[in-house]
Amino acid sequence: MLDNKNQLFNEFEAVSSKEWKQKIQFELKGADYNDTLVWESLEGIKVKPFYHQDELENTINIKTNVSNFKILQDIFVFDVEKSNKKAKNAIERGAESIRFTIENENISIEDLMNNLPNKNTSYFFDLKFLSLGFIQKIANFSKEKNATVFLQTDPIGQLAKDGNWFKNLDQDFEILNKINDLNVASSISIHSNIYQNAGANMTQQLAYTLAHVNEYFNRIKEIKKPITIEVAVGTNYFFEIAKLRALRILFNTLATEYNHNFDCHIVATPTKRNKTLYDYNVNMLRTTTECMSAILGGANTISNLPYDVLYHKTNEFGDRISRNQLLVLKNESYFDKVDNPADGAYYIEILTNQLAEKALDLFKKIESKGGLITLLIEGTIQRKINESAQKEQELFDSGKEVLLGTNKYPNKNDKMKHDLELFPFVKTNPRKTLITPIIEKRLAEKIEQERLSQEE
């Protein structure tokens, strides 16, 4: 059968990319090929109308394990008993991983984890404080119950988002070095989602993430477990697939230099940057394609955003819908049947290489100037992200970047003023900080504020 198939294709002459381009130029009837069909991304990548095998150079084999991606349910812990009950319910309804976000040390790990399954469920702990004693309790639970536990501990991420360390640079890294020896699946985490949510382009996201990782490689004696990297995934479908693939290439390239033989564990969440207050059901369409990009790009664990995350407190309906989106992709769309679905797609392969090369160049420049922490303290990273965010904001304000229901085809009868349980805009908290924090901001905030002010 295979020989007959090959003979069939051998009857046709191969068509080179040059011949395809000549044919396209003929069909354009005098219109300029580049002006008409080639567009440039915010990263400076020129996207062509077609890609060909003869353009592929130095293709890197990327090991993705798409068939084993896990569905993550986020739970903010305020009431321990309710959080425990919510975790049990989420697992019964299809969640394969649970992430507890904890803000203080008064939480009982024993009560929180009471009767939760350990065999096929992994647990993430996103702590908003740094306490060796509290983390030791989590590690003890992990060892006693043989549970798979990921600690999302990231002092640099704390500095970037809050403007201050948990304690100070030396103390934070002293504690981090001790945490590194604990019995958990992963003890070091990179919260790189802040770069995307603040408006960094993809080259910056990758380079800053790599520099973020490099700070830990330099400041922690020997990282003996996989590093968790949390990323935000935007709406540029193929670019986001390529971004995650490029991230894995770059991480493994850097890790090799430190004899770190573990692949990274990527946790992906849809971005908040393009989510909207008005016509909020469109958010479900956005998060669906973003989760698809995350899966195909090779994320290990995926947490979806509820459609109403901007204006409603956590609620059962929103959580269930967001979880079901992932369950449909996994069980009805069969996204978990192939480990490497993006391999061999010329467009994605070339985008991956271009993003990786651009990010590596930027990473080298960051390191030559002292590294990420130095540039955060100087304000360089914040300024560069702000410049990129402003470029995208201008595209949105001019209508060139479209968010349906907001800056195109808005429903004038849509009223939201009396449905707000949460403040959906940038919050200000005047205080003394070591650095200027990186501020996450959505594209639609200005338009939404104007519309809310006009509602009766």
Side-chain angles (χ1 to χ4, degrees), residues 108-372:
S108 167
I109 294 299
E110 291 77 13
D111 292 343
L112 181 62
M113 303 302 294
N114 183 40
N115 290 327
L116 291 180
N118 298 313
K119 190 175 181 182
N120 297 312
T121 307
S122 52
Y123 296 94
F124 293 75
F125 289 87
D126 187 8
L127 307 182
K128 302 305 179 184
F129 57 93
L130 189 59
S131 165
L132 182 59
F134 189 83
I135 291 171
Q136 184 70 62
K137 292 177 185 177
I138 298 173
N140 291 342
F141 163 82
S142 173
K143 186 176 181 179
E144 180 185 336
K145 301 293 186 182
N146 196 28
T148 303
V149 168
F150 294 80
L151 295 174
Q152 291 200 265
T153 313
D154 183 12
I156 298 173
Q158 165 71 12
L159 174 69
K161 185 169 186 174
D162 184 72
N164 289 315
W165 298 100
F166 288 112
K167 302 178 188 300
N168 58 54
L169 187 151
D170 292 336
Q171 280 185 273
D172 282 8
F173 277 96
E174 182 182 347
I175 293 172
L176 209 57
N177 271 282
K178 292 176 181 176
I179 292 170
N180 184 46
D181 294 323
L182 297 179
N183 183 53
V184 290
S186 175
S187 56
I188 307 298
S189 183
I190 311 296
H191 287 82
S192 72
N193 50 345
I194 189 172
Y195 306 129
Q196 205 281 349
N197 282 317
N201 64 43
M202 289 188 202
T203 301
Q204 291 172 326
Q205 292 169 45
L206 290 168
Y208 298 162
T209 302
L210 201 62
H212 199 142
V213 173
N214 199 45
E215 292 285 359
Y216 288 129
F217 275 135
N218 281 318
R219 295 173 186 270
I220 296 174
K221 204 175 299 179
E222 181 187 359
I223 300 176
K224 305 167 186 175
K225 305 174 190 71
I227 293 174
T228 302
I229 302 178
E230 182 162 4
V231 299
V233 179
T235 198
N236 194 343
Y237 189 73
F238 292 107
F239 267 71
E240 291 292 345
I241 295 171
K243 180 181 85 177
L244 295 189
R245 287 161 54 84
L247 174 58
R248 208 171 281 281
I249 292 172
L250 292 167
F251 175 86
N252 288 328
T253 302
L254 180 64
T256 301
E257 298 298 315
Y258 291 93
N259 297 314
H260 180 79
N261 300 316
F262 301 94
D263 199 355
C264 57
H265 187 101
I266 298 176
V267 179
T269 306
T271 181
K272 285 186 178 179
R273 187 157 171 76
N274 64 355
K275 303 305 177 286
T276 56
L277 192 58
Y278 291 93
D279 215 346
Y280 47 76
N281 286 323
V282 180
N283 289 334
M284 280 189 277
L285 302 179
R286 297 180 183 121
T287 54
T288 298
T289 62
E290 288 157 2
C291 287
M292 288 165 67
S293 292
I295 296 167
L296 298 176
N300 303 92
T301 303
I302 301 169
S303 169
N304 194 11
L305 287 179
Y307 73 97
D308 57 350
V309 67
L310 298 179
Y311 64 94
H312 274 168
K313 294 177 182 177
T314 301
N315 60 88
E316 198 277 335
F317 183 77
D319 284 346
R320 180 163 59 85
I321 293 296
S322 64
R323 186 173 57 247
N324 284 351
Q325 288 173 257
L326 286 167
L327 286 168
V328 168
L329 290 175
K330 187 167 212 175
N331 299 317
E332 297 183 29
S333 303
Y334 306 113
F335 269 58
D336 65 338
K337 300 304 178 189
V338 181
D339 273 336
N340 53 346
D343 282 6
Y346 307 143
Y347 179 33
I348 296 173
E349 295 269 17
I350 291 170
L351 279 183
T352 299
N353 291 344
Q354 289 176 313
L355 284 171
E357 288 169 4
K358 283 179 171 288
L360 188 59
D361 286 343
L362 181 55
F363 166 71
K364 289 176 180 176
K365 290 176 183 176
I366 293 168
E367 293 305 306
S368 70
K369 294 177 181 177
L372 183 76

Side-chain angles (χ1 to χ4, degrees), residues 374-389:
T374 298
L375 295 189
L376 280 171
I377 292 171
E378 291 176 357
T380 303
I381 299 295
Q382 296 91 320
R383 188 180 74 252
K384 292 293 185 182
I385 291 176
N386 188 53
E387 289 171 1
S388 294

